Amino acid sequence: MMLVIDVTKGMQTQSAECLVIGQIACQKMVVVLNKIDLLPEAKRQSAIEKMTKKMQKTLENTKFCGCPIVAVAAKPGGPEAPESENPLGVSELIEVLKSQAYLPSRDPSGHFLMAVDHCFSIKGQGTVMTGTILSGSVSLGDNVEIPALKVTKKVKSMQMFHTPVTYAMQGDRVGICVTQFDPKLLERGLICTPESLHTIHAAIISLKKIQYFRGALQTKAKFHITVGHETVMGRVMFFSPAPADFNEEIQENVFDFDKDYLYQEEYLSKDSKPSEENKENGQSEVQLPKQQWALLEFEKPVTCPKLCLVIGSKLDTDIHANTCRLAFHGVLLQGMEDKNYAETFLPKLKVYKQKHKEGQVERVMDDYSVIGRSLFKKETNIQIFVGLKVQLSTGEEGIIDGGFGQSGKFKIRIP
């Protein structure tokens, strides 16, 4: 990642947001201090040194601590300057980029997936989509699906840097020409092996709050959810492991539907206020689980690969307010393709709320069951509580089995 900073202004709100996205999505960074031609020559060197120190301080607590910082003027004199003006510092920047570059390991196997960032038509040839291949490979004559348009097209020709090619794979930058369609319909988006991507209405994600976001992340709140090339509005519901499992190591990138999860009114962070229960137990610190999740419900369906990066933000915040609009980031663990997911899919997700009610054990019936009282009123329909868990003061865990008699008493089964 190359983070470009105006040397006369330093870090702006947008630069800070770019830095946050870099920390989530990138391993290496080079900072470029641009427009050094605007600094008076006598003070130029000291001004660059001052800004370099300032940037080093800013990056101290990030994963980019100690990254290279290069001062340049990409176009001395600005847009009006004559073409004969040579850029300053660009050759040094190229050397730094070369020293930082590395060959990633690339894999042509798996489904073809490409992020398209430009689309245009060539008369008599077809429509060209240019972009970067994220996974798999593609050859001449292959069929590729454009999920956003629900069409499949045949690859007629391909070019890499103006050179015709017959094959391209993960990491390649390529232009793919297919039979004609209106390029306005797809300025950017994903194309893939037919049927390999899923369109989802909701998702379960594992997530972390972005530390610079001010304010709580609340259940039922709406955020702008960015997945791949798309940003849609989505509503969130946060949940965490059951308190007994707060410190358990969680397997990465999988979600276990067999476990019980605890509903959270908001994402738990060190700024959260302790619950009433914790206050009663004398805990002023909020206990934080190792992992938290959210159910995302999208306002309109999105098409994306599994385990893709998700960023939630409040993009309607005033851009001139000096605050970070990015709220959380996470990994998409499970998408829900059925439009009626609330009926078909959500019942599999076992999220419970803590309810505090106390009753008494009236008597023991046998080795596995007790009769209780004073938990329900006489007129309560006990059927709706059947199957819920209760805990005895002596430590046993039981399950409400049903009513007993007419006065609101109930039977508890202790496995």
Side-chain angles (χ1 to χ4, degrees):
M1 165 174 172
M2 192 155 65
L3 183 65
V4 182
I5 303 283
D6 179 335
V7 73
T8 63
K9 292 182 180 157
M11 268 305 239
Q12 303 284 295
T13 307
Q14 300 96 300
S15 341
E17 287 182 351
C18 292
L19 182 58
V20 169
I21 293 172
Q23 288 219 82
I24 296 166
C26 245
Q27 293 311 316
K28 283 188 163 198
M29 182 171 80
V30 173
V31 175
V32 178
L33 302 177
N34 191 21
K35 304 191 184 179
I36 56 170
D37 57 313
L38 297 180
L39 302 169
E41 253 185 80
K43 297 180 184 159
R44 187 174 293 171
Q45 207 39 49
S46 68
I48 290 171
E49 279 165 19
K50 200 169 157 193
M51 187 54 83
T52 303
K53 281 211 174 81
K54 216 169 165 181
M55 285 305 300
Q56 282 165 338
K57 186 101 187 83
T58 303
L59 297 174
E60 227 169 40
N61 297 322
T62 72
K63 68 154 88 154
F64 303 124
C65 176
C67 78
I69 299 174
V70 187
V72 307
K75 185 110 171 77
E80 271 64 70
E83 284 301 313
S84 55
E85 277 287 336
N86 283 327
L88 304 173
V90 170
S91 50
E92 287 89 330
L93 174 60
I94 289 171
E95 287 311 310
V96 167
L97 289 174
K98 273 158 72 175
S99 73
Q100 293 289 309
Y102 58 97
L103 280 175
S105 57
R106 296 202 162 138
D107 178 8
S109 68
H111 291 305
F112 167 68
L113 178 67
M114 169 166 152
V116 173
D117 44 51
H118 190 41
C119 190
F120 56 92
S121 60
I122 299 175
K123 223 177 171 160
Q125 301 262 330
T127 302
V128 176
M129 301 174 284
T130 60
T132 304
I133 300 178
L134 304 178
S135 70
S137 62
V138 62
S139 301
L140 276 186
D142 281 358
N143 281 333
V144 295
E145 183 186 355
I146 308 169
L149 310 183
K150 298 188 170 56
V151 295
T152 298
K153 297 273 181 188
K154 199 174 190 137
V155 177
K156 289 173 71 179
S157 65
M158 296 196 287
Q159 281 195 1
M160 270 160 48
F161 301 104
H162 307 296
T163 310
V165 291
T166 57
Y167 171 83
M169 66 176 272
Q170 184 183 50
D172 284 336
R173 184 83 203 150
V174 63
I176 293 182
C177 181
V178 298
T179 43
Q180 201 80 41
F181 68 88
D182 180 0
K184 286 197 187 71
L185 297 174
L186 181 84
E187 177 49 35
R188 48 198 294 195
L190 295 169
I191 62 170
C192 61
T193 300
E195 313 257 309
S196 64
L197 279 189
H198 305 292
T199 298
I200 58 175
H201 297 268
I204 291 171
I205 65 165
S206 61
L207 78 157
K208 297 231 176 315
K209 182 178 177 178
I210 289 167
Q211 66 190 76
Y212 309 106
F213 183 77
R214 293 189 197 140
L217 305 181
Q218 289 184 312
T219 282
K220 296 199 174 74
K222 283 185 177 176
F223 290 90
H224 290 87
I225 309 289
T226 303
V227 183
H229 264 335
E230 289 186 87
T231 297
V232 299
M233 291 304 287
R235 192 185 291 282
V236 294
M237 177 191 86
F238 298 107
F239 57 97
S240 64
D245 302 334
F246 264 25
N247 294 321
E248 208 176 274
E249 286 300 330
I250 306 282
Q251 258 186 300
E252 254 192 311
N253 297 345
V254 285
F255 184 77
D256 186 350
F257 281 97
D258 294 333
K259 286 203 152 117
D260 288 354
Y261 296 96
L262 178 62
Y263 172 90
Q264 299 291 1
E265 289 291 350
E266 62 174 61
Y267 178 89
L268 295 180
S269 66
K270 46 183 194 300
D271 317 324
S272 305
K273 295 179 177 58
S275 66
E276 292 306 314
E277 210 174 315
N278 285 1
K279 277 185 192 158
E280 282 168 25
N281 299 342
Q283 291 172 349
S284 55
E285 285 279 297
V286 176
Q287 282 191 296
L288 299 181
K290 288 204 167 158
Q291 178 64 65
Q292 293 176 66
W293 296 270
L295 169 69
L296 292 185
E297 302 187 74
F298 302 117
E299 286 195 354
K300 62 178 222 274
V302 295
T303 302
C304 59
K306 259 201 170 126
L307 299 182
C308 66
L309 172 66
V310 176
I311 295 180
S313 26
K314 286 272 188 200
L315 298 178
D316 39 8
T317 312
D318 178 14
I319 184 67
H320 303 296
N322 183 19
T323 121
C324 177
R325 299 175 302 163
L326 308 169
F328 61 83
H329 68 95
V331 174
L332 196 142
L333 302 178
Q334 179 80 46
M336 295 166 217
E337 293 176 64
D338 189 348
K339 206 173 174 172
N340 303 319
Y341 64 89
E343 286 84 49
T344 58
F345 197 96
L346 287 190
K348 288 190 213 164
L349 179 61
K350 298 188 285 197
V351 175
Y352 66 89
K353 289 183 181 178
Q354 289 274 28
K355 283 245 192 307
H356 197 84
K357 275 186 147 181
E358 285 188 4
Q360 277 82 39
V361 170
E362 184 162 278
R363 59 191 166 89
V364 176
M365 262 182 85
D366 55 44
D367 287 355
Y368 292 101
S369 45
V370 298
I371 302 297
R373 61 179 165 83
S374 321
L375 199 56
F376 305 113
K377 293 194 177 92
K378 194 165 135 193
E379 57 276 9
T380 305
N381 173 13
I382 292 180
Q383 273 324 101
I384 56 179
F385 295 91
V386 168
L388 296 189
K389 295 180 180 176
V390 291
Q391 197 168 22
L392 304 192
S393 56
T394 42
E396 294 87 354
E397 293 211 341
I399 290 160
I400 297 177
D401 221 6
F404 184 81
Q406 300 303 310
S407 57
K409 292 181 185 174
F410 54 92
K411 188 171 161 190
I412 295 171
R413 187 168 53 82
I414 296 169

